[in-house]
Amino acid sequence: MTHSHFSEFYKKTKVERIKALLDARVIQIEDALLLFENSQLTDQLANHMIENQLTQYSLPLGVALHFLIDNQTYQVPMVTEEPSVIAAASAAAKVIAQAGGFKTHLSERKMIGQVALKDIPDLAHALEELSLNKEIILKKANNAHPSIVKRGGGADEVEFRTIPATEHSPTFLVVHVHIDVLEAMGANIVNTMMEAIASYIETLTDGKVLMSILSNYATECLATATCQIPLSLLERGDYLGEEVRDAMIEASQFAYVDPYRATTHNKGIMNGIDAVVLASGNDWRAIEAGAHAYAARSGQYRSLSIWEKADNGDLKGSLTLPLPVGFVGGSIGIHPTAQFSQRLLSLKSAKELESVIVSVGLAQNFAALRALVTEGIQKGHMGLQAKSLAISAGASGNEIEHVANELKKQTHMNLETAISILDTIKN
Ligand code: NDP
């Protein structure tokens, strides 16, 4: 890949973009044809994926550029309906690449399965029995899914939690099993194992099993991305690098202490994360649920990322969240566009996908905070919003760009103005 292939990528036509990816050897000819075709799922596949299928719902897939992650360059597939997301991610990644790129750190990839019990007659005795029989619990769990054990994964740790009774709930005893799901997201693997151990756990505790299922609060599958940006790369218009750094740090502190801001701050991070999770064929609700639970781990909902001053005065950013995404399993293997996304990323493992996703989240956050503390978020947004308005007004082909450019010059950008601009152009 050379940068020349991608210069002013956003100004190219779709055909030119696909050609640029081909010329840069990021994609092969078969994938170029797939992109030209704009193909939907086959009816048979769509009908097989969900119940009561009627039609398909399309969203655009684009590519974010300039990502340098752990010294490797990535062209990142993103599926989103929000106009500014890919532009913001690419712009941020370009700055961060000049600063050495993202570095990532990943924990083990373990999922947690829960068996929740109630009506335990003797809690101390139940806990003792569970402790004494941990190995049997693990063996029963692994026997329920021997193929994951054969591959080198499986259940390997058991923990217990008691949740005291409140005025609204009884005492719960919860058995947690940690399971290495290797390259899968693991929901089905974990659920199978949990259901298989439920009756044995009931026998051990004399309690009643309420449910057996994985937890989407995947605290044993965390991904962190960091970056460090010198002041010279933070200068923007009339703003000095130092001013941008200090304001971004304050914006980060604000999001840490104020849940109203933290929610929007994290929504911006999820703009990037969801888009890649979706493109990769993974379960974005699982990632959303885990991310927001992690943001509230201190008891207060807080920002997922932190921006601070490095010892040498640079701006230092870091983002951590649970990222139990799969490289296999679910619909990944059967969805042709998810397969394309893996090829576009030259992806080799679920861990590598985690590194890409968490880096995109940090890039998105950098772009949003930098815009917020400098020119404001609307300038960039409205530029892209103008195109959407032009299309809504009925513009097509070259008219879209023309109407959008005229719209950007107006004080009030709305559909009515877009329609009247289009009328002027046409008449
Ligand atoms: P699958 O049920 O598709 O399981 C993945 C399978 O891939 C494994 O059973 C394994 O089968 C096979 N496999 C092949 N190679 C590997 C490898 N290297 N590492 C691991 N597995 C491998 O998917 P998951 O269990 O991952 O579950 C994900 C799906 O579950 C998603 O669609 C999700 O939406 C859904 N789901 C989510 C829930 C939640 O989040 N709460 C709840 C229920 C479902 P084998 O070893 O036998 O070949």
Side-chain angles (χ1 to χ4, degrees):
M1 190 278 299
T2 64
H3 283 295
S4 61
H5 289 114
F6 297 138
S7 69
E8 304 211 304
F9 195 78
Y10 65 99
K11 287 191 179 165
K12 295 184 196 293
T13 62
K14 176 182 154 175
V15 173
E16 288 167 346
R17 284 183 204 135
I18 296 173
K19 188 167 179 310
L21 289 169
L22 252 182
D23 291 345
R25 292 167 198 247
V26 171
I27 60 169
Q28 304 291 317
I29 188 76
E30 296 77 11
D31 280 336
L33 294 173
L34 185 95
L35 296 175
F36 281 128
E37 261 176 39
N38 227 351
S39 57
Q40 300 263 320
L41 301 175
T42 61
D43 265 347
Q44 194 191 8
L45 184 55
N47 196 37
H48 161 80
M49 282 175 76
I50 60 164
E51 308 82 20
N52 298 357
Q53 189 256 344
L54 295 176
T55 183
Q56 298 191 30
Y57 181 103
S58 301
L59 285 174
L61 179 147
V63 59
L65 301 172
H66 313 302
F67 273 88
L68 179 64
I69 304 168
D70 298 327
N71 300 321
Q72 197 172 320
T73 308
Y74 290 92
Q75 286 76 39
V76 185
M78 298 177 80
V79 172
T80 180
E81 88 298 344
E82 194 172 333
S84 54
V85 168
I86 296 178
S90 302
K94 195 170 187 178
V95 172
I96 294 166
Q98 289 170 64
F102 300 90
K103 302 281 174 265
T104 68
H105 173 78
L106 311 173
S107 73
E108 290 178 304
R109 287 178 48 78
K110 299 261 180 81
M111 290 300 280
I112 299 169
Q114 295 193 299
V115 177
L117 298 133
K118 57 173 194 145
D119 301 339
I120 313 273
D122 183 343
L123 204 53
H125 178 69
L127 284 167
E128 199 184 326
E129 281 298 308
L130 287 169
S131 295
L132 283 173
N133 292 290
K134 273 186 178 183
E135 288 307 316
I136 301 178
I137 296 171
L138 288 174
K139 202 167 164 201
K140 283 185 182 291
N142 283 326
N143 283 345
H145 212 299
S147 56
I148 197 76
V149 182
K150 239 183 252 161
R151 291 182 191 280
D156 58 11
E157 205 180 325
V158 188
E159 282 177 351
F160 318 114
R161 294 167 55 225
T162 45
I163 302 171
T166 69
E167 70 180 284
H168 307 291
S169 58
T171 300
F172 291 112
L173 171 57
V174 194
V175 178
H176 276 198
V177 183
H178 294 198
I179 300 156
D180 185 344
V181 291
L182 300 174
E183 293 298 325
M185 178 264 193
N188 290 317
I189 300 172
V190 175
N191 291 346
T192 305
M193 289 188 174
M194 292 305 100
E195 285 183 7
I197 61 173
S199 65
Y200 177 62
I201 289 186
E202 237 172 22
T203 317
L204 285 179
T205 58
D206 289 328
K208 192 162 173 16
V209 167
L210 181 66
M211 64 175 72
S212 316
I213 188 165
L214 94 157
S215 168
N216 284 111
Y217 189 23
T219 50
E220 302 298 315
C221 185
L222 297 177
T224 300
T226 58
C227 62
Q228 185 163 328
I229 307 163
L231 298 185
S232 58
L233 291 173
L234 291 173
E235 286 164 15
R236 198 160 168 86
D238 293 337
Y239 295 92
L240 299 173
E242 202 169 353
E243 288 173 325
V244 175
R245 177 200 64 198
D246 292 346
M248 283 184 68
I249 292 171
E250 280 165 3
S252 166
Q253 292 164 344
F254 176 39
Y256 187 77
V257 296
D258 178 23
Y260 281 87
R261 172 58 204 154
T263 309
T264 321
H265 180 102
N266 290 342
K267 188 273 179 186
I269 291 173
M270 300 316 284
N271 274 341
I273 289 189
D274 283 345
V276 191
V277 171
L278 196 49
S280 68
N282 272 284
D283 183 337
W284 71 96
R285 290 85 56 210
I287 301 302
E288 278 280 338
H292 297 296
Y294 193 69
R297 66 194 179 283
S298 66
Q300 180 184 319
Y301 188 88
R302 297 184 189 282
S303 47
L304 286 163
S305 65
I306 288 177
W307 294 92
E308 54 198 349
K309 189 167 152 182
D311 290 342
N312 68 354
D314 289 355
L315 176 68
K316 212 167 76 175
S318 98
L319 168 67
T320 300
L321 77 163
L323 266 182
V325 283
F327 180 63
V328 300
S331 66
I332 298 167
I334 54 172
H335 197 296
T337 316
Q339 290 287 300
F340 164 75
S341 293
Q342 289 195 343
R343 292 194 292 275
L344 183 63
L345 286 166
S346 297
L347 210 61
K348 284 166 225 65
S349 68
K351 278 202 163 190
E352 193 179 5
L353 180 59
E354 283 187 52
S355 291
V356 171
I357 295 173
V358 70
S359 300
V360 173
L362 189 57
Q364 213 78 53
N365 187 228
F366 173 83
L369 291 194
R370 187 181 59 165
L372 278 172
V373 300
T374 56
E375 77 267 10
I377 205 91
Q378 281 310 82
K379 192 178 160 208
H381 268 230
M382 293 319 275
L384 291 154
Q385 187 65 16
K387 275 194 185 173
S388 302
L389 282 172
I391 294 167
S392 305
S396 61
N398 291 339
E399 289 166 359
I400 299 174
E401 204 66 42
H402 200 141
V403 173
N405 285 338
E406 286 303 311
L407 259 179
K408 279 189 252 173
K409 294 180 194 156
Q410 312 294 318
T411 15
H412 293 297
M413 210 193 270
N414 59 21
L415 185 59
E416 209 183 324
T417 322
I419 291 170
S420 92
I421 294 171
L422 184 62
D423 273 353
T424 324
I425 291 172
K426 283 188 163 166
N427 298 316

